[in-house]
């Protein structure tokens, strides 16, 4: 009896650990990782001149844990695995910083000036910002990805910083290597990413800014930190609880201020063991055209089929269900098609309310 008691006592922490690591299947944070490799075989030629001694990167994005989501069609049979989280071995900021300082080691000038880059947006997505709607992979399963970039550049000399450049752009062109090589100029996503990263350094005339450095606007480090922190000064991120109610638009959600307080959540059967959620007001009228709602237990994004929202760092993520047409070939060579339900991960841009 004593031995049995001892065994149970030893296993209790293990069972507790298993319960802690169990994740909600509706949470994109449970996806597998796809690590990008920024290693290189050749460094930048000395002919490329950069008028500073090194580059420092600060990650000030809403989600600093990854670069984005990419398709993973090899897991098409698993409806919750049609995607992976893009990560780097040393995190986004440190990996970019190491890449730049190693790749351009012969391009830097030996002086007391550094380049500081603040990442406010750096995200890989299958959604074109001009269309901003959930991607239907059944119609476009081999689409390129869009790289959202919002970077701020500062020159750093001593204890002061001079803002010199801001970019806010979307680059289209990351093609995934699990696709067929149908083009002569095909490159892997790692190679394309490095070309984009190089372009974000080499296309700007930093020398002109360095030559005028004594006439540039000056910021202190404390001012930059306060400015960066202001990005997250959003009530729904700062409040300790979500307010129960219906958010009619993204502004209401950001302010954690639902305009409809009294409502009921109901479910309707749409198939075998499948249900869809909908909401009614206190008079039994169905509520339509709303952004999302909080039941007191669950947060759902109404704009996209009432799927569950999950907080990740300073933003929110969710899966959206899509129909994917799977081709089947039988032994007689006759093709047939069957609809499969797959879940695609998305994240909310907390500045605009758009998804990517």
């Amino acid at each position: 009896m004593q031995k049995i008691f001892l065994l149970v006592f030893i296993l209790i922490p293990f069972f507790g650990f298993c319960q802690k690591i169990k994740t909600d299947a509706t949470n994109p944070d449970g996806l597998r990782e796809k690590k990008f490799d920024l290693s290189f075989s050749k460094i930048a030629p000395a002919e490329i001149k950069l008028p500073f001694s090194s580059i420092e990167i600060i990650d000030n994005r809403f989600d600093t844990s990854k670069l984005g989501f990419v398709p993973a069609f090899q897991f098409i049979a698993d409806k919750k695995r049609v995607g992976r989280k893009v990560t780097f071995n040393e995190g986004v900021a440190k990996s970019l910083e190491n890449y730049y300082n190693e790749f351009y080691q012969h391009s830097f000038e030996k002086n007391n000036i550094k380049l500081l880059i603040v990442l406010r947006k750096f995200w890989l997505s299958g959604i074109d910002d001009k269309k901003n709607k959930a991607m239907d992979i059944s119609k476009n399963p081999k689409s390129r990805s869009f790289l959202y970039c919002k970077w701020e550049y500062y020159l750093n000399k001593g204890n002061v910083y001079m803002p010199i450049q801001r970019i806010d752009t979307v680059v289209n062109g990351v093609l995934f290597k699990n696709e067929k090589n149908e083009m002569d100029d095909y490159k892997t996503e790692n190679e394309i990413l490095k070309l984009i990263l190089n372009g974000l350094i080499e296309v700007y005339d930093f020398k002109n800014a360095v030559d005028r450095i004594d006439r540039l606007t000056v910021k202190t480090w404390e001012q930059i930190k306060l400015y960066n922190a202001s990005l997250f000064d959003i009530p729904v991120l700062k409040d300790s609880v979500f307010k129960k109610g219906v958010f009619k638009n993204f502004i209401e959600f950001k302010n954690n201020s639902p305009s409809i307080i009294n409502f009921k959540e109901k479910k309707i059967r749409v198939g075998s063991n499948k249900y869809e959620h909908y909401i009614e007001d206190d008079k039994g009228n169905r509520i339509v055209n709303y952004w999302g709602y909080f039941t007191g237990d669950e947060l759902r994004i109404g704009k996209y089929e009432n799927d569950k929202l999950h907080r990740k760092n300073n933003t929110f993520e969710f899966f959206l269900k899509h129909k994917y047409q799977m081709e089947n070939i039988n032994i007689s060579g006759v093709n047939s098609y069957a609809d499969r339900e797959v879940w695609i991960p998305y994240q909310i841009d907390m500045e605009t309310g758009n998804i990517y």
Side-chain angles (χ1 to χ4, degrees), residues 131-148:
K131 299 177 181 177
N132 202 260
K133 59 183 180 180
M135 180 179 65
D136 184 350
I137 64 169
S138 65
K139 295 180 180 178
N140 194 14
K142 294 185 178 181
S143 62
R144 294 171 182 264
S145 278
F146 298 85
L147 187 63
Y148 290 72

Side-chain angles (χ1 to χ4, degrees), residues 56-72:
E56 181 181 357
I57 307 286
I58 292 178
D59 196 344
N60 199 63
R61 300 173 300 147
F62 288 105
D63 177 12
T64 60
S65 69
K66 53 185 173 289
L67 180 62
F69 297 115
V70 296

Side-chain angles (χ1 to χ4, degrees), residues 183-342:
M183 298 171 292
D184 293 334
D185 61 347
Y186 173 86
K187 289 182 172 59
T188 68
E189 66 270 32
N190 289 299
E191 293 171 323
I192 293 175
L193 179 60
K194 284 181 278 190
L195 288 174
I196 295 172
L197 290 175
N198 296 350
L200 291 169
I201 293 294
E202 296 177 21
V203 300
Y204 300 110
D205 185 8
F206 293 114
K207 186 178 185 306
N208 181 53
V210 170
D211 290 342
R212 299 182 296 108
I213 194 168
D214 294 331
R215 302 192 299 275
L216 297 176
T217 302
V218 172
K219 301 284 185 182
T220 65
W221 177 239
E222 287 301 318
Q223 288 175 313
I224 292 176
K225 286 200 299 183
L226 287 173
Y227 174 66
N228 289 341
S230 67
L231 182 66
F232 313 115
D233 190 16
I234 299 174
V236 75
L237 299 178
K238 297 171 62 178
D239 292 349
S240 58
V241 295
F242 300 118
K243 292 183 180 177
K244 183 179 178 180
V246 180
F247 307 100
K248 296 189 72 175
N249 52 55
F250 178 67
I251 299 301
E252 288 187 3
F253 175 69
K254 282 185 71 171
N255 291 326
N256 198 18
S257 180
S259 57
I260 301 176
I261 304 301
N262 298 315
F263 76 101
K264 293 181 179 179
E265 182 187 47
K266 294 187 175 182
K267 295 190 296 184
I268 184 172
R269 184 187 293 272
V270 294
S272 176
N273 296 322
K274 291 184 180 180
Y275 298 86
E276 285 186 359
H277 294 81
Y278 67 96
I279 53 176
E280 294 180 347
D281 62 21
D282 52 358
K283 297 180 180 179
N285 299 313
R286 191 159 182 167
I287 302 174
V288 295
N289 298 326
Y290 55 93
W291 190 91
Y293 62 91
F294 181 58
T295 64
D297 296 313
E298 294 180 341
L299 183 64
R300 295 185 178 274
I301 182 164
K303 188 177 180 180
Y304 298 104
E305 301 181 8
N306 293 331
D307 284 297
K308 287 177 65 174
L309 272 178
H310 300 269
R311 181 162 179 170
K312 180 62 180 178
N313 291 170
N314 287 303
T315 185
F316 299 84
E317 301 175 339
F318 65 101
F319 278 113
L320 178 59
K321 293 182 285 293
H322 290 269
K323 294 292 185 181
Y324 182 85
Q325 201 168 65
M326 177 71 75
E327 181 178 6
N328 298 314
I329 303 176
N330 60 29
I331 57 175
S332 63
V334 178
N335 293 6
S336 62
Y337 297 88
D339 284 340
R340 292 286 185 89
E341 182 184 87
V342 295

Side-chain angles (χ1 to χ4, degrees), residues 171-182:
V171 182
N172 177 15
V174 182
L175 187 67
F176 296 95
K177 62 184 178 183
N178 60 346
E179 300 176 14
K180 294 180 180 179
N181 183 358
E182 299 173 349

Side-chain angles (χ1 to χ4, degrees), residues 20-37:
K20 288 181 181 178
I21 65 173
K22 185 178 181 179
T23 57
D24 188 337
T26 67
N27 191 342
D29 199 43
L31 289 171
R32 295 183 181 182
E33 293 185 354
K34 178 181 179 69
K35 290 191 180 293
F36 269 23
D37 179 16

Side-chain angles (χ1 to χ4, degrees), residues 48-55 57 100 104 107-109 111 113-117 151-156 162-167 197-213 216:
I48 297 176
K49 302 295 184 182
L50 299 177
F52 34 79
S53 61
S54 62
I55 296 175
I57 307 286
Y100 277 143
Y104 290 113
S107 301
F108 294 129
E109 188 171 321
N111 57 22
I113 300 173
K114 297 180 181 179
L115 178 69
L116 170 67
I117 301 175
W151 291 17
E152 294 172 347
Y153 300 78
Y154 297 81
L155 292 179
N156 168 221
M162 287 71 69
I164 58 171
Q165 180 76 38
R166 173 184 290 175
I167 63 164
L197 290 175
N198 296 350
L200 291 169
I201 293 294
E202 296 177 21
V203 300
Y204 300 110
D205 185 8
F206 293 114
K207 186 178 185 306
N208 181 53
V210 170
D211 290 342
R212 299 182 296 108
I213 194 168
L216 297 176

